[in-house]
Amino acid sequence: MSTQNIVQKLWSLCDILRDDGITYHQYVTELTLLLFLKMAQETETEYRLPVGKRWSNLKNRNGVEQHTFYRALLIELGRASDPMVAAIYANAGTSIKEPRHLAQLIEDIDALDWYSARQDGLGDLYEGLLEKNAGELKSGAGQYFTPRPLIRAMVEVIRPRAGEIVQDPAAGTAGFLIQADHYIKQHSDDLFDLEAAQQEFQKKRAFVGMELVPDAHRLALMNCMLHDIEGTGQGPVWLGSTLSTEGQRLPKSDVILTNPPFGTKKGGGLPTRDDFTYPTSNKQLAFLQHIYRSLKPGGRAAVVLPDNVLFEGNVGRQIRTDLMDKCNLHTILRLPTGIFYAQGVKTNVLFFTRGQRDTGNTQAVWVYDLRANTPQFGKRTPFTLEFLKPFIAAYGDQPDGSAARTDEGESGRFRCFSREWIAERSDSLDIAWLKDDNAIDAADLPEPAALAQEAMGELEHAMTELEAILAELGEEVAE
């Protein structure tokens, strides 16, 4: 049985939980709490769990006794001596009300083809489950899930190396950290080419992230553990807000790969960090400051950001100027619409390298337009790595973007723009030149819900701009 088939069987268990009033949003978290116990048995890591609080202890009970035992088990695991187990089960509870539904879940999980799952890798199985959940619009999980083909392409061109610290300050379910680890293992014979101390570094210190949402944090830790990324203390992904003083604990990094959340800070207001030069309630602009300030000299980053970051005035322009001073912003990839959960949102990937000095690092910016005249992606036309391969080839084999490149001219997708030309445009990076034939075809317009999402995003960004103007005038924003 393939991993895909096992994932489908796991997903079908959702029907049991729906009968118990469990929402799509809660589903994978509920399943994770049970899967962790079974996977610990399958990977022979039950020594990390308290004696008497393991899969067999749960499976061998029945009815109300099993249900009561499970509730107590979750509390006990949240107090486990193993810090990563304790972090995964921190404040865990179950919404399963019917003992027969819990019994059915346990029975069905136990009956899966775990031999095949082990052969393919339990980490891949769990990633598949997260991807399935993100693709289900009702779950709302897409906001924590960046399309895996895009992650693979970003990692492939950035080329993380053994011995480097890789950070994701908006970790979600840890997709970027998992893929970076996979890439390094591919290029080091699964770490066997490394000395023992280097292997230890890769498992415990190479990867670090932060995630604000407790459920997403739980999924991230499980994902890392199944891919043999231990981290230190409570794991490689920390629970907290990067835009608060907690984010200042994240270490200076060689590589940062991330897709920060869209929108403004909840409830308005500014990040509570005191080390940002340009305070703003726009979360992407705040994250962008964190990212380029957190890179070591020579460190490189690839960051998914919406269009408004490229053209927003006032503080937005100041942050872009600061970015191009402190870093070499060498490449922008304009992404197609429809590849994220909010389909109307237009996004880009910015690739940059921190300079050895703090001024004059960007001399030219290359822009690859993968948005104009591309298919309308969705269930009928899935977004795959094939669509990104021409960009990967054009980017070249140097992770800092320094490989020889060809400007394809006004009819091509890849063009170069000088820093002086960009300065004449008020440092706007919203650069497009191709006529998009798809844009005028009414049949290809997004769904009304997607259009509404886009309109809301534009209104939100307009509000952010107005708040910034009021702040500059010394006026308070009315609640």
Side-chain angles (χ1 to χ4, degrees), residues 132-321:
K132 183 78 174 172
N133 188 44
E136 174 52 65
L137 294 178
K138 295 176 187 174
S139 76
Q143 60 186 306
Y144 310 121
F145 195 91
T146 306
R148 270 25 185 182
L150 178 59
I151 289 180
R152 286 194 286 273
M154 290 167 64
V155 169
E156 190 164 329
V157 299
I158 286 290
R159 301 184 177 214
R161 298 183 290 265
E164 293 186 320
I165 293 175
V166 180
Q167 181 192 142
D168 183 350
T173 54
F176 281 107
L177 301 181
I178 300 299
Q179 187 60 34
D181 173 67
H182 178 69
Y183 182 90
I184 292 168
K185 285 173 178 173
Q186 274 187 320
H187 291 81
S188 63
D189 188 23
D190 206 27
L191 304 185
F192 287 113
D193 288 346
L194 308 180
E195 301 289 336
Q198 293 175 305
Q199 291 184 22
E200 184 80 356
F201 175 86
Q202 288 307 123
K203 289 183 179 182
K204 296 194 172 177
R205 294 178 50 211
F207 303 100
V208 63
M210 185 165 279
E211 173 52 42
L212 176 64
V213 180
D215 278 350
H217 174 249
R218 200 187 311 278
L219 303 181
L221 289 180
M222 174 86 160
N223 208 4
C224 288
M225 192 169 178
L226 289 171
H227 286 88
D228 202 23
I229 302 173
E230 287 287 323
T232 56
Q234 293 188 332
V237 179
W238 308 340
L239 181 64
S241 170
T242 299
L243 302 184
S244 74
T245 53
E246 295 169 315
Q248 293 173 253
R249 297 190 295 121
L250 289 166
K252 294 286 186 182
S253 301
D254 302 282
V255 173
I256 297 181
L257 297 153
T258 190
N259 175 15
F262 301 162
T264 55
K265 193 172 183 296
K266 264 189 180 176
L270 304 175
T272 54
R273 286 177 63 156
D274 57 8
D275 63 332
F276 284 169
T277 309
Y278 307 102
T280 172
S281 61
N282 182 304
K283 285 190 286 193
Q284 305 95 53
L285 288 171
F287 267 101
L288 184 56
Q289 285 188 88
H290 164 83
I291 292 158
Y292 67 75
R293 293 170 67 94
S294 296
L295 286 173
K296 297 178 183 178
R300 53 208 187 279
V303 188
V304 180
L305 293 166
D307 273 14
N308 77 289
V309 170
L310 304 186
F311 61 75
E312 193 166 299
N314 298 312
V315 71
R317 178 184 178 181
Q318 292 176 310
I319 290 171
R320 288 193 303 276
T321 302

Side-chain angles (χ1 to χ4, degrees), residues 354-372:
R354 182 69 191 240
Q356 300 295 329
R357 59 184 190 279
D358 282 350
T359 56
N361 280 289
T362 299
Q363 302 300 313
V365 178
W366 288 79
V367 181
Y368 193 100
D369 191 341
L370 194 62
R371 185 179 303 170

Side-chain angles (χ1 to χ4, degrees), residues 315-367:
V315 71
R317 178 184 178 181
Q318 292 176 310
I319 290 171
R320 288 193 303 276
T321 302
D322 195 40
L323 166 66
M324 288 186 281
D325 272 342
K326 290 184 169 64
C327 300
N328 176 19
L329 173 62
H330 52 79
T331 310
I332 296 175
L333 169 62
R334 287 169 59 84
L335 291 169
T337 55
I339 65 171
F340 285 96
Y341 76 104
Q343 293 197 12
V345 174
K346 296 174 181 176
T347 53
N348 314 266
V349 185
L350 272 59
F351 298 87
F352 50 90
T353 303
R354 182 69 191 240
Q356 300 295 329
R357 59 184 190 279
D358 282 350
T359 56
N361 280 289
T362 299
Q363 302 300 313
V365 178
W366 288 79
V367 181

Side-chain angles (χ1 to χ4, degrees), residues 10-247:
L10 280 171
W11 188 250
S12 69
L13 301 183
C14 183
D15 293 333
I16 299 170
L17 289 170
R18 279 209 305 270
D19 289 342
D20 212 334
I22 307 297
T23 66
Y24 276 103
H25 181 69
Q26 298 167 301
Y27 171 56
V28 172
T29 299
E30 286 280 359
L31 199 55
T32 291
L33 300 176
L34 286 167
L35 278 176
F36 185 92
L37 298 171
K38 179 59 179 174
M39 287 178 169
Q41 182 187 71
E42 295 298 323
T43 54
E44 299 180 355
T45 55
E46 285 189 305
Y47 63 86
R48 304 184 69 155
L49 306 177
V51 175
K53 306 296 180 183
R54 300 170 181 177
W55 180 256
S56 59
N57 305 117
L58 177 63
K59 189 185 77 166
N60 293 335
R61 285 173 165 78
N62 297 298
V64 174
E65 183 196 1
Q66 184 182 58
H67 192 258
T68 303
F69 177 81
Y70 180 55
R71 287 180 176 276
L73 170 67
L74 295 178
I75 296 170
E76 187 75 20
L77 292 175
R79 301 169 180 162
S81 58
D82 185 296
M84 198 158 174
V85 172
I88 289 173
Y89 283 91
N91 301 310
T94 180
S95 298
I96 301 173
K97 305 178 189 70
E98 290 284 343
R100 60 191 174 88
H101 291 151
L102 175 63
Q104 186 67 56
L105 274 177
I106 292 168
E107 182 181 333
D108 288 351
I109 289 172
D110 201 56
L112 289 173
D113 183 357
W114 287 101
Y115 175 79
S116 294
R118 284 197 306 272
Q119 297 300 107
D120 291 343
L122 296 185
D124 290 344
L125 168 64
Y126 193 66
E127 266 283 288
L129 181 64
L130 295 176
E131 189 163 12
K132 183 78 174 172
N133 188 44
E136 174 52 65
L137 294 178
K138 295 176 187 174
S139 76
Q143 60 186 306
Y144 310 121
F145 195 91
T146 306
R148 270 25 185 182
L150 178 59
I151 289 180
R152 286 194 286 273
M154 290 167 64
V155 169
E156 190 164 329
V157 299
I158 286 290
R159 301 184 177 214
R161 298 183 290 265
E164 293 186 320
I165 293 175
V166 180
Q167 181 192 142
D168 183 350
T173 54
F176 281 107
L177 301 181
I178 300 299
Q179 187 60 34
D181 173 67
H182 178 69
Y183 182 90
I184 292 168
K185 285 173 178 173
Q186 274 187 320
H187 291 81
S188 63
D189 188 23
D190 206 27
L191 304 185
F192 287 113
D193 288 346
L194 308 180
E195 301 289 336
Q198 293 175 305
Q199 291 184 22
E200 184 80 356
F201 175 86
Q202 288 307 123
K203 289 183 179 182
K204 296 194 172 177
R205 294 178 50 211
F207 303 100
V208 63
M210 185 165 279
E211 173 52 42
L212 176 64
V213 180
D215 278 350
H217 174 249
R218 200 187 311 278
L219 303 181
L221 289 180
M222 174 86 160
N223 208 4
C224 288
M225 192 169 178
L226 289 171
H227 286 88
D228 202 23
I229 302 173
E230 287 287 323
T232 56
Q234 293 188 332
V237 179
W238 308 340
L239 181 64
S241 170
T242 299
L243 302 184
S244 74
T245 53
E246 295 169 315

Side-chain angles (χ1 to χ4, degrees), residues 446-461:
E447 293 295 320
L451 289 171
Q453 285 271 13
E454 185 172 8
M456 285 176 63
E458 290 175 358
L459 286 170
E460 194 171 63
H461 300 320

